[in-house]
Amino acid sequence: ETGVTQTPRHLVMGMTNKKSLKCEQHLGHNAMYWYKQSAKKPLELMFVYSLEERVENNSVPSRFSPECPNSSHLFLHLHTLQPEDSALYLCASSQDYTGELFFGEGSRLTVL
Amino acid sequence: GENVEQHPSTLSVQEGDSAVIKCTYSDSASNYFPWYKQELGKRPQLIIDIRSNVGEKKDQRIAVTLNKTAKHFSLHITETQPEDSAVYFCAASGTNAGKSTFGDGTTLTVKP
């Protein structure tokens, strides 16, 4: 595998479910990101991790919980979501904050 | 934080014509300005970027200009082709991870 891979690609969950999105980067980058993409806000930054430490939480509700166990993996844990959380969740990585972002294919989330 | 405004939101041109997309930013500390292209159903990918120590950069049919004084930068596509049809995002970022901000995107349609 090369680049940034995300699983699952599609996820349907009820409002009481708990699920997780996974992201893995094979580029040796030192920063990883979660973005939310929806019709309302095309590319909205959620979280930034640098060397496994969260450096930015862009006022995201606590029902979204990120985890970065090492510099190659990033998770987004989801619980008690709302229908308005339905969106495409994109993971990205970069070398430093002012470098090219490499995006994964995204996880399409539908909350019923 | 950083605020990036992008115009127009939609742009339709005839094949062979030029297309220009403009962005303004608010934070004078931003020093990296990338442009991403997102084709339907695919991930955003970098097409060109510019740093604050450069006023213009060109790559074949694509060019970007930066005016630091006015805090705006533009994407220029010449001799447009149908495969240029996509959503284009501008972004501005600096050494602070939280300042990586995207514009709302421009949907470019190139009519054959």
Side-chain angles (χ1 to χ4, degrees):
Chain A
E1 286 281 6
T2 59
V4 180
T5 56
Q6 289 185 242
T7 55
R9 294 292 310 279
H10 300 274
L11 179 62
V12 179
M13 58 187 290
M15 290 193 286
T16 58
N17 292 159
K18 288 186 180 181
K19 297 286 184 183
S20 295
L21 306 181
K22 179 183 175 182
C23 175
E24 184 174 1
Q25 59 102 355
H26 310 268
L27 300 166
H29 288 162
N30 59 10
M32 295 188 76
Y33 311 75
W34 280 115
Y35 282 89
K36 177 182 178 182
Q37 187 167 49
S38 63
K40 185 178 179 182
K41 186 67 179 178
L43 274 172
E44 186 176 8
L45 179 65
M46 299 176 72
F47 301 104
V48 182
Y49 274 82
S50 174
L51 298 173
E52 305 158 37
E53 181 181 349
R54 189 192 311 179
V55 296
E56 181 69 16
N57 176 346
N58 203 23
S59 302
V60 180
S62 59
R63 57 186 184 267
F64 294 92
S65 175
E67 178 190 0
C68 188
N70 56 61
S71 59
S72 299
H73 293 85
L74 185 64
F75 293 88
L76 188 62
H77 303 300
L78 316 169
H79 60 99
T80 60
L81 295 191
Q82 304 297 311
E84 60 263 30
D85 296 322
S86 298
L88 181 68
Y89 289 85
L90 289 162
C91 174
S93 70
S94 70
Q95 186 60 29
D96 304 322
Y97 304 135
T98 55
E100 176 182 357
L101 285 170
F102 288 80
F103 287 90
E105 297 279 9
S107 293
R108 173 70 62 183
L109 173 66
T110 302
V111 181
L112 301 177
Chain B
E2 175 66 276
N3 182 47
V4 176
E5 293 190 359
Q6 183 172 345
H7 299 280
S9 57
T10 60
L11 180 59
S12 181
V13 299
Q14 286 294 135
E15 182 177 0
D17 288 350
S18 295
V20 180
I21 304 170
K22 299 181 180 182
C23 288
T24 60
Y25 62 99
S26 61
D27 191 337
S28 56
S30 291
N31 57 9
Y32 176 62
F33 307 93
W35 287 88
Y36 290 83
K37 175 183 180 182
Q38 187 175 25
E39 297 178 14
L40 191 63
K42 296 191 175 180
R43 71 186 84 190
Q45 291 188 291
L46 181 77
I47 54 170
I48 195 167
D49 56 11
I50 192 167
R51 298 189 184 269
S52 57
N53 59 347
V54 176
E56 183 174 0
K57 185 176 178 181
K58 190 173 181 180
D59 183 4
Q60 299 182 337
R61 298 186 296 108
I62 296 172
V64 57
T65 58
L66 172 65
N67 183 327
K68 282 196 66 180
T69 303
K71 296 199 193 78
H72 67 70
F73 55 112
S74 300
L75 176 71
H76 303 254
I77 306 174
T78 59
E79 300 171 24
T80 53
Q81 302 167 3
E83 50 265 39
D84 294 329
S85 296
V87 180
Y88 291 81
F89 294 97
C90 65
S93 65
T95 54
N96 185 325
K99 292 182 189 254
S100 178
T101 304
F102 281 82
D104 285 346
T106 296
T107 301
L108 173 65
T109 303
V110 180
K111 300 177 195 173

